[in-house]
mmCIF file of all heavy atoms in Angstrom:
data_model
loop_
_atom_site.group_PDB
_atom_site.id
_atom_site.type_symbol
_atom_site.label_atom_id
_atom_site.label_comp_id
_atom_site.label_asym_id
_atom_site.label_seq_id
_atom_site.Cartn_x
_atom_site.Cartn_y
_atom_site.Cartn_z
ATOM 1 N N ASP A 365 -68.027 18.017 58.540
ATOM 2 C CA ASP A 365 -67.156 17.587 59.633
ATOM 3 C C ASP A 365 -66.542 18.784 60.333
ATOM 4 O O ASP A 365 -66.444 18.826 61.570
ATOM 5 C CB ASP A 365 -66.088 16.599 59.151
ATOM 6 C CG ASP A 365 -65.196 17.140 58.052
ATOM 7 O OD1 ASP A 365 -65.600 18.092 57.343
ATOM 8 O OD2 ASP A 365 -64.084 16.604 57.876
ATOM 9 N N GLU A 366 -66.184 19.806 59.565
ATOM 10 C CA GLU A 366 -65.636 21.013 60.167
ATOM 11 C C GLU A 366 -66.688 21.770 60.971
ATOM 12 O O GLU A 366 -66.358 22.421 61.974
ATOM 13 C CB GLU A 366 -65.026 21.900 59.092
ATOM 14 C CG GLU A 366 -63.806 21.279 58.422
ATOM 15 C CD GLU A 366 -63.251 22.109 57.288
ATOM 16 O OE1 GLU A 366 -63.755 23.235 57.077
ATOM 17 O OE2 GLU A 366 -62.310 21.638 56.614
ATOM 18 N N ALA A 367 -67.949 21.690 60.552
ATOM 19 C CA ALA A 367 -69.029 22.300 61.325
ATOM 20 C C ALA A 367 -69.136 21.648 62.698
ATOM 21 O O ALA A 367 -69.289 22.329 63.724
ATOM 22 C CB ALA A 367 -70.354 22.189 60.574
ATOM 23 N N PHE A 368 -69.067 20.312 62.736
ATOM 24 C CA PHE A 368 -69.058 19.608 64.015
ATOM 25 C C PHE A 368 -67.855 20.034 64.866
ATOM 26 O O PHE A 368 -68.000 20.354 66.053
ATOM 27 C CB PHE A 368 -69.014 18.094 63.796
ATOM 28 C CG PHE A 368 -70.353 17.443 63.604
ATOM 29 C CD1 PHE A 368 -70.648 16.745 62.441
ATOM 30 C CD2 PHE A 368 -71.328 17.498 64.590
ATOM 31 C CE1 PHE A 368 -71.879 16.124 62.264
ATOM 32 C CE2 PHE A 368 -72.562 16.884 64.427
ATOM 33 C CZ PHE A 368 -72.836 16.194 63.258
ATOM 34 N N PHE A 369 -66.681 20.025 64.263
ATOM 35 C CA PHE A 369 -65.471 20.319 65.021
ATOM 36 C C PHE A 369 -65.499 21.740 65.584
ATOM 37 O O PHE A 369 -65.074 21.990 66.719
ATOM 38 C CB PHE A 369 -64.223 20.128 64.157
ATOM 39 C CG PHE A 369 -64.057 18.752 63.589
ATOM 40 C CD1 PHE A 369 -63.252 18.535 62.478
ATOM 41 C CD2 PHE A 369 -64.706 17.656 64.154
ATOM 42 C CE1 PHE A 369 -63.090 17.267 61.953
ATOM 43 C CE2 PHE A 369 -64.548 16.377 63.631
ATOM 44 C CZ PHE A 369 -63.748 16.186 62.522
ATOM 45 N N ASP A 370 -65.987 22.678 64.783
ATOM 46 C CA ASP A 370 -66.068 24.060 65.255
ATOM 47 C C ASP A 370 -67.036 24.175 66.425
ATOM 48 O O ASP A 370 -66.771 24.890 67.403
ATOM 49 C CB ASP A 370 -66.499 24.979 64.116
ATOM 50 C CG ASP A 370 -66.484 26.440 64.530
ATOM 51 O OD1 ASP A 370 -65.388 26.984 64.735
ATOM 52 O OD2 ASP A 370 -67.569 27.022 64.673
ATOM 53 N N LEU A 371 -68.168 23.457 66.334
ATOM 54 C CA LEU A 371 -69.105 23.438 67.458
ATOM 55 C C LEU A 371 -68.439 22.885 68.704
ATOM 56 O O LEU A 371 -68.563 23.453 69.796
ATOM 57 C CB LEU A 371 -70.341 22.609 67.102
ATOM 58 C CG LEU A 371 -71.289 22.318 68.274
ATOM 59 C CD1 LEU A 371 -71.893 23.603 68.830
ATOM 60 C CD2 LEU A 371 -72.374 21.331 67.851
ATOM 61 N N PHE A 372 -67.733 21.778 68.563
ATOM 62 C CA PHE A 372 -67.081 21.166 69.723
ATOM 63 C C PHE A 372 -66.068 22.139 70.349
ATOM 64 O O PHE A 372 -65.960 22.231 71.569
ATOM 65 C CB PHE A 372 -66.385 19.869 69.322
ATOM 66 C CG PHE A 372 -67.295 18.822 68.718
ATOM 67 C CD1 PHE A 372 -66.779 17.827 67.894
ATOM 68 C CD2 PHE A 372 -68.666 18.823 68.974
ATOM 69 C CE1 PHE A 372 -67.602 16.862 67.342
ATOM 70 C CE2 PHE A 372 -69.501 17.859 68.413
ATOM 71 C CZ PHE A 372 -68.962 16.881 67.595
ATOM 72 N N ASP A 373 -65.328 22.854 69.506
ATOM 73 C CA ASP A 373 -64.377 23.847 70.014
ATOM 74 C C ASP A 373 -65.099 24.930 70.818
ATOM 75 O O ASP A 373 -64.627 25.347 71.883
ATOM 76 C CB ASP A 373 -63.617 24.501 68.861
ATOM 77 C CG ASP A 373 -62.475 23.640 68.322
ATOM 78 O OD1 ASP A 373 -61.904 22.857 69.113
ATOM 79 O OD2 ASP A 373 -62.162 23.744 67.125
ATOM 80 N N ARG A 374 -66.239 25.403 70.294
ATOM 81 C CA ARG A 374 -66.989 26.449 70.989
ATOM 82 C C ARG A 374 -67.556 25.937 72.301
ATOM 83 O O ARG A 374 -67.594 26.672 73.304
ATOM 84 C CB ARG A 374 -68.103 26.988 70.086
ATOM 85 C CG ARG A 374 -67.608 27.902 68.978
ATOM 86 C CD ARG A 374 -68.740 28.431 68.135
ATOM 87 N NE ARG A 374 -69.242 27.426 67.193
ATOM 88 C CZ ARG A 374 -70.510 27.265 66.849
ATOM 89 N NH1 ARG A 374 -71.448 28.023 67.391
ATOM 90 N NH2 ARG A 374 -70.855 26.350 65.975
ATOM 91 N N LEU A 375 -67.999 24.685 72.315
ATOM 92 C CA LEU A 375 -68.530 24.115 73.552
ATOM 93 C C LEU A 375 -67.428 24.000 74.615
ATOM 94 O O LEU A 375 -67.681 24.234 75.809
ATOM 95 C CB LEU A 375 -69.143 22.737 73.268
ATOM 96 C CG LEU A 375 -70.414 22.730 72.414
ATOM 97 C CD1 LEU A 375 -70.815 21.300 72.067
ATOM 98 C CD2 LEU A 375 -71.561 23.450 73.125
ATOM 99 N N ARG A 376 -66.230 23.669 74.199
ATOM 100 C CA ARG A 376 -65.115 23.649 75.147
ATOM 101 C C ARG A 376 -64.772 25.053 75.626
ATOM 102 O O ARG A 376 -64.557 25.300 76.818
ATOM 103 C CB ARG A 376 -63.889 23.008 74.499
ATOM 104 C CG ARG A 376 -63.919 21.497 74.520
ATOM 105 C CD ARG A 376 -62.628 20.895 73.977
ATOM 106 N NE ARG A 376 -62.642 19.434 74.125
ATOM 107 C CZ ARG A 376 -61.737 18.633 73.588
ATOM 108 N NH1 ARG A 376 -60.752 19.124 72.865
ATOM 109 N NH2 ARG A 376 -61.810 17.319 73.786
ATOM 110 N N ALA A 377 -64.728 26.005 74.694
ATOM 111 C CA ALA A 377 -64.366 27.367 75.060
ATOM 112 C C ALA A 377 -65.378 27.982 76.033
ATOM 113 O O ALA A 377 -65.011 28.785 76.895
ATOM 114 C CB ALA A 377 -64.272 28.231 73.793
ATOM 115 N N ASP A 378 -66.636 27.585 75.912
ATOM 116 C CA ASP A 378 -67.699 28.116 76.782
ATOM 117 C C ASP A 378 -67.872 27.308 78.062
ATOM 118 O O ASP A 378 -68.791 27.573 78.844
ATOM 119 C CB ASP A 378 -69.026 28.155 76.028
ATOM 120 C CG ASP A 378 -69.039 29.212 74.940
ATOM 121 O OD1 ASP A 378 -68.113 30.065 74.921
ATOM 122 O OD2 ASP A 378 -69.964 29.209 74.106
ATOM 123 N N GLY A 379 -67.019 26.301 78.280
ATOM 124 C CA GLY A 379 -67.089 25.535 79.511
ATOM 125 C C GLY A 379 -68.240 24.553 79.577
ATOM 126 O O GLY A 379 -68.624 24.104 80.669
ATOM 127 N N ILE A 380 -68.787 24.183 78.419
ATOM 128 C CA ILE A 380 -69.864 23.201 78.393
ATOM 129 C C ILE A 380 -69.298 21.786 78.287
ATOM 130 O O ILE A 380 -69.835 20.835 78.848
ATOM 131 C CB ILE A 380 -70.832 23.520 77.229
ATOM 132 C CG1 ILE A 380 -71.586 24.824 77.543
ATOM 133 C CG2 ILE A 380 -71.825 22.374 77.001
ATOM 134 C CD1 ILE A 380 -72.406 25.354 76.415
ATOM 135 N N LEU A 381 -68.174 21.651 77.574
ATOM 136 C CA LEU A 381 -67.428 20.396 77.507
ATOM 137 C C LEU A 381 -66.096 20.562 78.213
ATOM 138 O O LEU A 381 -65.524 21.667 78.225
ATOM 139 C CB LEU A 381 -67.162 19.993 76.044
ATOM 140 C CG LEU A 381 -68.332 19.671 75.134
ATOM 141 C CD1 LEU A 381 -67.785 19.269 73.762
ATOM 142 C CD2 LEU A 381 -69.207 18.583 75.707
ATOM 143 N N PRO A 382 -65.550 19.495 78.783
ATOM 144 C CA PRO A 382 -64.207 19.572 79.352
ATOM 145 C C PRO A 382 -63.161 19.708 78.257
ATOM 146 O O PRO A 382 -63.406 19.368 77.090
ATOM 147 C CB PRO A 382 -64.058 18.252 80.109
ATOM 148 C CG PRO A 382 -65.028 17.319 79.468
ATOM 149 C CD PRO A 382 -66.165 18.166 78.988
#
Side-chain angles (χ1 to χ4, degrees):
D365 58 338
E366 294 176 5
F368 274 120
F369 301 159
D370 185 69
L371 170 64
F372 301 157
D373 281 330
R374 285 181 283 143
L375 292 173
R376 279 185 175 171
D378 290 348
I380 291 171
L381 296 182

